Amino acid sequence: MRKKNLILAFESSCDETSVAVIENGEKILSNVIATQINSHKRFGGVVPEVASRHHIEQVTICIDEALEEANVKPSDLTAVAVTYGPGLVGALLVGVAAAKAFAYANNLPLVPVNHMAGHIYAARFVKPIVFPAMALLVSGGHTELVYMPYENEFQIIGETRDDAAGEAYDKIGRVLGMTYPAGKDIDELAHKGKDSFHFPRAMMHEDNFDFSFSGLKSAFINTVHHADQINETLDRADLAASFQQSVVDVIVEKTLWACEQFSIKQLILAGGVAANHGLRDTLSAKLNEKYPDLDFVKAPLELCGDNAAMIGAAGYVAMKHHVFADASLNAEPSLEFDWVPDAVK
Ligand code: KG4
Ligand code: ZN
């Protein structure tokens, strides 16, 4: 029988400390997630110093729990995988230091993982990824379309020029008096309202795959402030629905265009904002209508947010491609995908 490949994976790039055990890159034996959201809520966003301290407190507890839940001993493991960027430097450093120490102490190879590749590989828990593929990555820090001609090759074909979609959700949520992160609450409220404000859809018909959400955010905030000044009460559900419809329309339109321009076999939807029901449903329906033969894979709802299981799945692929790091591995807060200049359409 083939020996099982067991990866202990670490994620600490933002406000979740997570450790997972993944078998053969496709099966979750454990995925322990310690979220710090309650500590950041009162500040309206993630406070980097506070995040680092929480990671330090949680990481060893998460390691013990992940191994216990998976019923795995350190000597059963094949490798250690860790997110080394992009993210908050102090937060990343805790995961990187813990992973390095664990790998050194147990004589295991260390696999460095890009957090965004991790988000894409959350889809691996649904089914195998088929290449060439395209990933629509929507999170709190990123909004991008990533073309993957082959396994372990990532080319950003378009990205946001200002705010990420999740960031825009969180900022307008604050204006509506919601707590951080507001994406899920706005999504729920949006389903009770209608698109009556018709906010702008920036760059929707431009000849590129880039996005822009700051104009939409400003239009939203101006509308709310103007109403406040004249003591007018606006319908919150309609505001949420109108904002969400603008975001979804632009993202869906650009993604459909990417599907038309690149010959791909699979489209993957991943990242924190991929949990958005409006986006999931609209994209499914439009793809079904325009590209019924294209395989559409949505990251499972519970794996859209940050977690170590997705890092283990991406780490398994990186390991297959002999991507290893030594003890000099450092956190890279602005890590980007390696550019693949000759990627063929
Ligand atoms: O991927 P993620 O967990 O962290 C980053 O790597 O950024 O994404 C977090 C973001 C937050 O901005 C949050 O408001 C947003 O994902 N989010 C949502 C939903 N659930 C989470 N945005 C829209 N609709 C949702 N249902
Ligand atoms: Zn993330």
Side-chain angles (χ1 to χ4, degrees):
M1 204 178 78
R2 194 164 70 99
K3 194 177 174 291
K4 283 181 194 164
N5 177 303
L6 294 175
I7 291 184
L8 183 74
F10 290 75
E11 158 62 37
S12 70
S13 64
C14 190
D15 54 358
E16 336 277 351
T17 319
S18 181
V19 181
V21 178
I22 303 303
E23 183 181 318
N24 298 336
E26 60 179 18
K27 188 172 167 200
I28 302 175
L29 301 190
S30 63
N31 186 27
V32 177
I33 306 172
T35 180
Q36 324 171 345
I37 281 176
N38 280 337
S39 300
H40 300 290
K41 266 186 177 159
R42 65 199 160 111
F43 302 110
V46 178
V47 184
E49 266 308 307
V50 175
S52 311
R53 280 163 198 266
H54 277 291
H55 286 306
I56 291 171
E57 283 164 15
Q58 292 297 322
V59 73
T60 47
I61 302 171
C62 290
I63 297 173
D64 290 345
E65 270 186 36
L67 290 172
E68 195 183 318
E69 211 182 290
N71 199 15
V72 159
K73 301 184 296 299
S75 57
D76 299 328
L77 293 167
T78 314
V80 173
V82 61
T83 300
Y84 72 114
L88 302 169
V89 66
L92 288 164
L93 272 171
V94 177
V96 169
K100 282 203 283 199
F102 191 96
Y104 182 71
N106 295 287
N107 204 15
L108 291 164
L110 183 65
V111 184
V113 176
N114 179 316
H115 179 77
M116 301 315 290
H119 272 302
I120 296 174
Y121 273 89
R124 178 63 190 86
F125 296 112
V126 179
K127 57 161 73 166
I129 296 180
V130 186
F131 300 91
M134 183 75 72
L136 167 61
L137 274 179
V138 267
S139 74
H142 293 75
T143 300
E144 55 200 26
L145 280 159
V146 183
Y147 176 58
M148 294 180 288
Y150 308 102
E151 190 177 75
N152 214 40
E153 286 192 11
F154 308 89
Q155 180 187 354
I156 295 177
I157 61 157
E159 62 194 326
T160 182
R161 298 201 181 163
D162 38 61
D163 290 4
E167 197 179 345
Y169 267 95
D170 295 337
K171 284 182 180 157
I172 69 120
R174 204 192 293 202
V175 174
L176 290 179
M178 292 170 168
T179 51
Y180 169 87
K184 192 165 182 280
D185 293 341
I186 293 170
D187 189 13
E188 277 165 19
L189 190 58
H191 287 85
K192 298 176 190 146
K194 54 188 180 317
D195 177 10
S196 55
F197 288 92
H198 308 296
F199 290 126
R201 274 111 171 113
M203 302 181 72
M204 188 152 96
H205 300 294
E206 279 186 22
D207 197 11
N208 55 51
F209 302 106
D210 286 347
F211 304 91
S212 166
F213 296 107
S214 77
L216 167 62
K217 180 189 69 186
S218 302
F220 183 98
I221 294 173
N222 289 343
T223 302
V224 173
H225 284 172
H226 178 69
D228 281 350
Q229 280 161 4
I230 57 170
N231 276 329
E232 188 189 344
T233 308
L234 300 177
D235 186 292
R236 288 163 59 82
D238 285 354
L239 278 169
S242 303
F243 172 81
Q244 177 142 314
Q245 198 56 53
S246 284
V247 173
V248 169
D249 279 356
V250 176
I251 293 180
V252 168
E253 184 73 25
K254 290 261 162 156
T255 306
L256 289 176
W257 198 51
C259 293
E260 191 183 306
Q261 296 295 307
F262 287 75
S263 69
I264 50 167
K265 292 189 177 144
Q266 199 177 59
L267 177 74
I268 294 164
L269 172 62
V273 183
N276 186 277
H277 288 91
L279 180 59
R280 288 172 95 86
D281 297 348
T282 312
L283 196 51
S284 289
K286 293 273 181 193
L287 284 168
N288 217 4
E289 197 182 297
K290 274 195 98 173
Y291 306 104
D293 296 332
L294 181 66
D295 190 22
F296 180 41
V297 190
K298 292 174 264 197
L301 271 182
E302 68 283 8
L303 297 179
C304 285
D306 293 344
N307 67 86
M310 67 189 197
I311 303 304
Y316 176 79
V317 174
M319 192 177 159
K320 252 174 63 187
H321 290 264
H322 312 289
V323 179
F324 293 107
D326 59 22
S328 66
L329 180 69
N330 206 350
E332 287 192 34
S334 309
L335 181 68
E336 288 181 8
F337 283 125
D338 285 340
W339 186 250
V340 187
D342 299 324
V344 276
K345 277 189 184 180

